[in-house]
Amino acid sequence: MVGIVIVSHSWKIAEGVCDLAHEMAQGHEGIIPAGGLEDGSIGTDAQRIADAIVEADTGDGVVILADIGSSIMSAETAIELLEDEGNNINVVIADAPIVEGTVCAVVEAAGGGSVDSVLKSAEESREASKL
Amino acid sequence: MASEIYECLSKIAGIISENKDFLTELDREIGDSDHGINLARGFSAVMEKVNPEDADIGATLKKSGMTLLSKVGGASGPLYGTAYMEAGKVLAGKTELDAEGLKSAFEAAIAGIQKRGKAVKGEKTMLDAIIPAYETYSQKLSDGADMITALEAACNSAREGVEYTKTIIATKGRASYLGERSIGHQDPGATSSTLMLEAVLDVLKGK
Ligand SMILES: Nc1ncnc2c1ncn2[C@@H]1O[C@H](COP(=O)(O)OP(=O)(O)OP(=O)(O)O)[C@@H](O)[C@H]1O
Ligand SMILES: [Mg+2]
C-alpha cells in the first residue's frame, strides 16, 4: 500500500490531519505525521521527514502532503537525503491542500492505488468546490 | 589550537547569537518573527556537533549543513543547510581555505541555495547579498587581489545588497505574502548571510 507522509510546521496539524485521515483509511497503517521540530517547536525538519518516509514505505512508494512555506523545501531536501544514502523509495510531493489532499490520497491508497493514482487523487482535490 | 573551520563556525555562531533579536525583529516586519531564533537554535546545535580538532573543512561543513537542515526549522534551514553541504563537497579534504577554494565554495553554495529555493537575484532574499558578494570576490581575484582584500570587498557588496533589499518587493518566501508592503524593509536572510561572510573575514584576518 502506498504510504502517506503529512508534513506541517506544527506537530498538532500533522497529527490532527493523520487522525482525520485514519477515519477513512480502512486500517491503512502507513499514514505518518512529520510535524514541527524534535523539541516540539514550530518548523520543518528534513531529517524528521526522511525518517517518516522510511516508516511510511512498504515497498509501494510514498506520497507527501505538505503545508506552507519551507515544508516543500524540507520535503525535497528529505528526498535528496534518502537518495544520497542510496535509498530508492519512490517518493513524490503532491501539489495539493493538506487536509483535502490527504483525505483523497488516503482513500485512493487504501483502495490499493499506485503512487501515480494516489498523487492524482490528492491533486484533484484542488478542483473540488466547497460551496 | 582550534582548526580554521572550527574557528569560522564558532565565530558565525557567536555573531548569530549576538544578532538573534535583531534578525528576529527584521523577520517580524516582513515575515513570521523567527529568523534569529531559527538560526541561533541551528548554530548552537552545530556547535554541539563540531569539535576544535575537526580539521577537514569539507567534512565539517557537511556535518554542519546536516545539522542546519534539521534544527533551524524555517526556510533558512534547508537553504543554508544545502549551501553548507554543497560548499563542503568542493572543499572535501582541505584543511585551510585558499582564494580559489573559497571561490568554488561560494559558487557551490549559491548553486545549492538556488537548487533548493528556485529564486534569482532581485526577489528580496539572501541571494541579493550573496550573489553580489560572490561577483565582487571573483572580480577582485581576477584583478590580482589576495583572498582577504577580495573578501573585504565582497562584504561591502553584501552590505550594499542588504540595502538594495529595502527597495524591492519580495516574491519568494513569507515576505511575498506582503507584496508592496515588503518595500522599505531589509531582508532578514540577506542580513544573516552578510553577518556570516563578515565572520569568516574576521577569522581569516586574525590569522
Ligand atoms: N526561495 C528562497 N530562496 C532564497 N532565500 C529564501 C527563499 N525563501 C526564503 N528565503 C530567505 O529565508 C529568509 C527567512 O528565513 P526563515 O528562517 O525566517 O524562514 P521562514 O520564512 O520563517 O520559513 P517558513 O517557510 O518555514 O516559515 C528570508 O529572509 C530569505 O532571505
Ligand atoms: Mg521566518
Side-chain angles (χ1 to χ4, degrees):
Chain A
M1 222 171 260
V2 171
I4 311 284
V5 168
I6 312 300
V7 177
S8 171
H9 280 66
S10 151
W11 67 266
K12 287 186 191 165
I13 291 181
E15 303 211 342
V17 171
C18 284
D19 289 346
L20 200 62
H22 272 129
E23 293 198 311
M24 302 190 67
Q26 303 176 9
H28 185 345
E29 285 180 0
I31 308 168
I32 311 295
L37 306 186
E38 212 174 21
D39 64 4
S41 26
I42 294 277
T44 60
D45 170 349
Q47 190 59 57
R48 226 167 136 76
I49 301 169
D51 295 343
I53 294 170
V54 170
E55 195 182 336
D57 183 53
T58 52
D60 296 328
V62 173
V63 175
I64 299 178
L65 278 293
D67 69 356
I68 56 174
S70 66
S71 288
I72 299 292
M73 268 190 239
S74 285
E76 286 170 348
T77 308
I79 295 173
E80 273 179 37
L81 287 175
L82 292 172
E83 281 168 5
D84 288 350
E85 285 166 15
N87 208 326
N88 44 25
I89 301 174
N90 180 14
V91 200
V92 293
I93 303 173
D95 185 3
I98 188 162
V99 175
E100 290 83 348
T102 301
V103 170
C104 293
V106 163
V107 169
E108 181 66 20
S114 65
V115 164
D116 286 347
S117 69
V118 172
L119 177 71
K120 189 159 167 274
S121 294
E123 293 185 343
E124 275 169 5
S125 72
R126 275 201 316 245
E127 313 301 332
S129 165
K130 283 192 196 176
L131 288 180
Chain B
M1 214 191 74
S3 68
E4 184 171 84
I5 183 64
Y6 181 85
E7 284 191 13
C8 287
L9 290 167
S10 114
K11 190 85 194 178
I12 292 173
I15 288 184
I16 292 295
S17 143
E18 282 161 28
N19 287 278
K20 178 178 167 183
D21 293 342
F22 172 55
L23 293 170
T24 296
E25 180 57 26
L26 294 177
D27 197 31
R28 192 183 63 73
E29 317 223 24
I30 54 168
D32 55 353
S33 320
D34 62 6
H35 190 58
I37 297 167
N38 288 348
L39 288 185
R41 177 175 51 222
F43 279 95
S44 75
V46 166
M47 293 320 292
E48 280 170 26
K49 285 267 158 66
V50 298
N51 304 299
E53 304 80 49
D54 288 341
D56 182 332
I57 299 178
T60 313
L61 282 177
K62 179 166 184 223
K63 186 157 73 171
S64 308
M66 288 287 287
T67 308
L68 294 175
L69 291 181
S70 136
K71 301 295 180 199
V72 170
S76 54
L79 291 164
Y80 282 135
T82 306
Y84 278 55
M85 287 172 74
E86 296 294 324
K89 279 185 198 161
V90 301
L91 295 174
K94 293 214 174 175
T95 57
E96 221 171 295
L97 267 179
D98 57 33
E100 283 304 316
L102 184 54
K103 183 179 165 194
S104 37
F106 237 133
E107 276 165 15
I110 292 170
I113 292 168
Q114 293 194 299
K115 166 178 81 170
R116 192 60 67 224
K118 301 177 182 86
V120 295
K121 220 161 75 168
E123 298 199 84
K124 201 178 180 106
T125 70
M126 53 177 69
L127 290 170
D128 292 312
I130 306 173
I131 294 178
Y134 163 72
E135 287 169 350
T136 298
Y137 180 80
S138 82
Q139 184 58 47
K140 288 284 168 187
L141 285 193
S142 349
D143 294 348
D146 62 30
M147 176 166 67
I148 296 203
T149 313
L151 191 55
E152 258 169 353
C155 286
N156 283 332
S157 297
R159 284 187 287 268
E160 285 166 21
V162 171
E163 287 304 308
Y164 165 68
T165 62
K166 292 183 184 169
T167 68
I168 55 176
I169 296 182
T171 50
K172 283 280 186 309
R174 290 254 176 170
S176 63
Y177 290 114
L178 275 81
E180 297 263 345
R181 275 179 291 149
S182 65
I183 294 183
H185 301 285
Q186 77 191 61
D187 178 61
T191 310
S192 60
S193 50
T194 302
L195 291 171
M196 290 180 198
L197 289 175
E198 288 170 345
V200 174
L201 174 63
D202 224 42
V203 170
L204 295 178
K205 262 177 146 176
K207 291 209 322 160

